[in-house]
């Protein structure tokens, strides 16, 4: 089974590890694996070098029995040590570089140096607060109160041909993507739907999971309170 098929089945939990924030990333990975996470995303918005990314991915792969996937915030965050890469285009960025410019450079790098990576074209749509990703990518986040706008972006992503869509509330967001927004996007986008940002409790995770996304991501919680990951994973599985 390839990575895309794996992501397409059921509702899964992925743990996001940002090496720039998490010095003790293996401790977080162990907590996540013990909690039953279905995969690990590695990446961040700032301050990660290519050599650092490769080391982190290899270290996590040495203990992981689940896919380790790149979630790159820049061109330096590519390595074929991972199982795949979310090839992100920030659809609601105000800067063309984050919509297509970085992707042109990244495509050449992957084709030349990392051909073994499974590439999953991913529409990245930032909502609510947006966090560091929204700020760095110069995005105009979609308000939590406008699921119709999020659904319009989802329709566009589907017509363009993206294989996945990532609804992102941002690192440390005050609240997760609202269930009604997830529901609207799920209806408009029948492919892999990933939702992340602001999920800090089992109740919040369950509310999102009931709307049928394929992957729910927790990052800040994993950094600050990795012992709570079990609660999140159980809520998703028992929805």
């Amino acid at each position: 089974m390839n990575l895309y098929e794996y992501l397409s089945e059921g509702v899964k939990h992925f743990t996001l590890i940002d090496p720039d924030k998490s010095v003790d990333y293996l401790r977080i990975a162990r907590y996540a694996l013990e909690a039953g996470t279905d995969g690990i995303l590695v990446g961040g918005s700032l301050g990660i070098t290519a050599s650092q990314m490769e080391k982190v991915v290899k270290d996590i792969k040495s203990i992981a029995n689940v896919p380790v996937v790149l979630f790159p915030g820049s061109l330096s965050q590519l390595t074929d040590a991972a199982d795949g890469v979310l090839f992100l285009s920030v659809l609601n960025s105000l800067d063309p570089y984050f919509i297509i410019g970085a992707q042109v450079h990244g495509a050449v790098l992957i084709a030349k140096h990392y051909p073994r990576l499974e590439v999953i074209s991913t529409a990245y749509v930032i909502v609510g607060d947006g966090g560091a990703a929204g700020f760095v990518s110069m995005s105009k986040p979609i308000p939590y109160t406008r699921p119709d706008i999020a659904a319009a972006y989802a329709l566009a992503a589907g017509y363009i041909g993206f294989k996945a869509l990532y609804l992102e509330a941002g690192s440390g967001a005050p609240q997760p993507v609202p269930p009604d927004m997830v529901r609207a996007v799920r209806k408009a986008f029948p492919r892999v739907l990933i939702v992340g940002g602001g999920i800090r409790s089992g109740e919040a995770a369950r509310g999102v999971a009931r709307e049928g996304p394929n992957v729910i991501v927790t990052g800040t919680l994993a950094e600050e309170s990795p012992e709570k990951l079990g609660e999140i994973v159980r809520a998703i599985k028992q929805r």
Side-chain angles (χ1 to χ4, degrees):
M1 181 185 297
N2 63 27
L3 176 61
Y4 187 74
E5 290 173 343
Y6 179 76
L7 295 177
S8 301
E9 295 184 351
V11 182
K12 293 179 167 60
H13 174 269
F14 269 51
T15 302
L16 171 60
I17 294 178
D18 183 345
D20 187 48
K21 298 179 181 177
S22 309
V23 176
D24 198 0
Y25 53 85
L26 281 179
R27 174 175 172 269
I28 295 173
R30 289 190 177 97
Y31 266 109
L33 294 167
E34 289 172 7
T37 195
D38 299 297
I40 295 176
L41 294 177
V42 183
S45 301
L46 299 167
I48 305 171
T49 66
S51 59
Q52 182 184 14
M53 181 62 103
E54 182 166 3
K55 180 180 187 308
V56 169
V57 169
K58 286 182 176 179
D59 287 348
I60 293 173
K61 287 279 289 181
S62 72
I63 64 169
N65 57 352
V66 297
V68 178
V69 183
L70 300 179
F71 179 59
S74 70
L75 296 174
S76 68
Q77 297 176 29
L78 294 172
T79 170
D80 59 4
D83 296 299
V85 56
L86 299 183
F87 196 76
L88 304 168
S89 176
V90 188
L91 291 195
N92 54 331
S93 173
L94 301 177
D95 185 341
Y97 176 79
F98 295 100
I99 302 171
I100 188 60
Q103 293 72 20
V104 171
H105 294 161
V108 173
L109 284 173
I110 290 171
K112 282 188 175 181
H113 303 290
Y114 311 111
R116 291 181 296 175
L117 274 177
E118 182 176 341
V119 178
I120 298 176
S121 59
T122 305
Y124 195 49
V125 179
I126 298 176
V127 305
D129 178 78
F135 184 82
V136 171
S137 65
M138 301 181 187
S139 296
K140 188 175 183 180
I142 299 169
Y144 285 129
T145 56
R146 296 303 303 269
D148 56 326
I149 297 177
Y153 272 92
L155 282 171
Y159 289 142
I160 291 169
F162 284 99
K163 296 173 70 175
L165 187 148
Y166 195 132
L167 266 184
E168 173 69 274
S171 175
Q175 68 182 80
V177 180
D180 64 336
M181 182 176 282
V182 179
R183 186 184 315 128
V185 170
R186 173 76 291 171
K187 184 176 180 180
F189 190 82
R191 299 166 193 157
V192 169
L193 176 58
I194 306 167
V195 181
I199 299 171
R200 296 186 178 86
S201 69
E203 181 181 1
R206 190 178 296 109
V208 172
R210 285 175 176 163
E211 303 305 332
N214 298 96
V215 180
I216 294 174
V217 179
T218 49
T220 301
L221 180 79
E223 296 163 6
E224 298 176 352
S225 304
E227 67 280 359
K228 294 183 179 179
L229 286 171
E231 174 190 346
I232 303 293
V233 174
R234 287 191 298 273
I236 293 170
K237 305 299 181 183
Q238 297 170 3
R239 67 190 184 284

